[in-house]
């Protein structure tokens, strides 16, 4: 659910963290699918997201939580999400409001200044909505498992599988084009040696 590099940020703290490489950046996917991941349009960029995740992991473990992915994801959404009084229990260890002015989150020498994230109120609202949806879906899934019928994915309640499929297909098409351009004789493994940079006369353009 979280980028492995975010867990690396907490590795120097006194609290042990079981790191795991290759975990899917679910939080980044949630932001991207809502068009809230681009810093130049007021969204939350990857570095600031990593700092938020690292800060949450340390706080979550210090408060007695486990580092199971599902638990960490839910508690992350709860910590930073904007929730109404029916599901929110304000606590210094479990919630960290972000949508106030001058908010800054620091962890292991890394700091995330959030003043420039002018869509922060939308991001916090999104995290809160995802928390509520996942919580409801967890209860539905629990009831379904009791009856021996699993009908839906938990992550599918907050992430669009259709959009992910389109992104994957687009990436595969781009990769195929690159391989086709870079392919050569079978003897060299289908790869061309990197071309030397050449300057086009009369222009400040480098053609690779």
């Amino acid at each position: 659910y979280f980028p492995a590099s975010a867990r690396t940020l907490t590795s120097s703290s006194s609290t042990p963290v079981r790191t795991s490489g290759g975990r899917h950046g679910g939080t980044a996917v949630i932001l991207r699918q809502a068009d809230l991941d681009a810093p130049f349009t007021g969204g939350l960029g990857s570095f600031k997201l990593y700092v938020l995740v690292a800060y949450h992991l340390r706080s979550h473990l210090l408060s007695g939580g486990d580092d199971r992915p599902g638990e960490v994801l839910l508690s992350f959404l709860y910590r930073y999400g904007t929730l109404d009084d029916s599901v929110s229990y304000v606590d210094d260890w479990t919630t960290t409001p972000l949508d106030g002015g001058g908010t800054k989150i620091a962890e292991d020498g890394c700091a995330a200044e959030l003043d420039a994230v002018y869509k922060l109120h939308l991001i916090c609202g999104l995290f809160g909505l995802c928390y509520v949806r996942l919580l409801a879906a967890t209860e539905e899934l629990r009831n379904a498992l009791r009856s021996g019928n699993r009908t839906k994915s938990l992550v599918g309640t907050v992430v669009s599988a259709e959009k992910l499929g389109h992104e994957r297909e687009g990436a595969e098409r781009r990769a195929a084009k690159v391989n086709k351009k870079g392919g050569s004789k079978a003897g060299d493994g289908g790869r061309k040696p990197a071309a030397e940079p050449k300057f086009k006369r009369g222009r400040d353009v480098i053609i690779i």
Side-chain angles (χ1 to χ4, degrees), residues 38-77:
F40 54 87
T41 58
L44 188 66
S46 59
F47 173 75
K48 291 180 180 179
L49 176 60
Y50 290 164
V51 175
L52 293 183
V53 170
Y55 176 83
H56 168 67
L57 279 171
R58 182 178 63 84
S59 301
H60 178 67
L61 295 175
L62 285 174
S63 64
D66 198 350
D67 67 341
R68 291 174 298 181
E71 180 180 320
V72 173
L73 175 62
L74 265 178
S75 56
F76 173 90
L77 297 172

Side-chain angles (χ1 to χ4, degrees), residues 177-191:
K177 288 181 180 179
V178 171
N179 290 336
K180 187 175 181 180
K181 289 181 179 179
S184 59
K185 297 179 180 179
D188 62 6
R191 294 183 178 181

Side-chain angles (χ1 to χ4, degrees), residues 1-11 17-28 46 49-50 53-54 57:
Y1 294 104
F2 294 101
S5 52
R7 291 181 165 235
T8 304
L9 287 174
T10 64
S11 61
V17 177
R18 293 198 301 269
T19 58
S20 176
R23 289 193 182 277
H24 188 63
T27 48
S46 59
L49 176 60
Y50 290 164
V53 170
L57 279 171

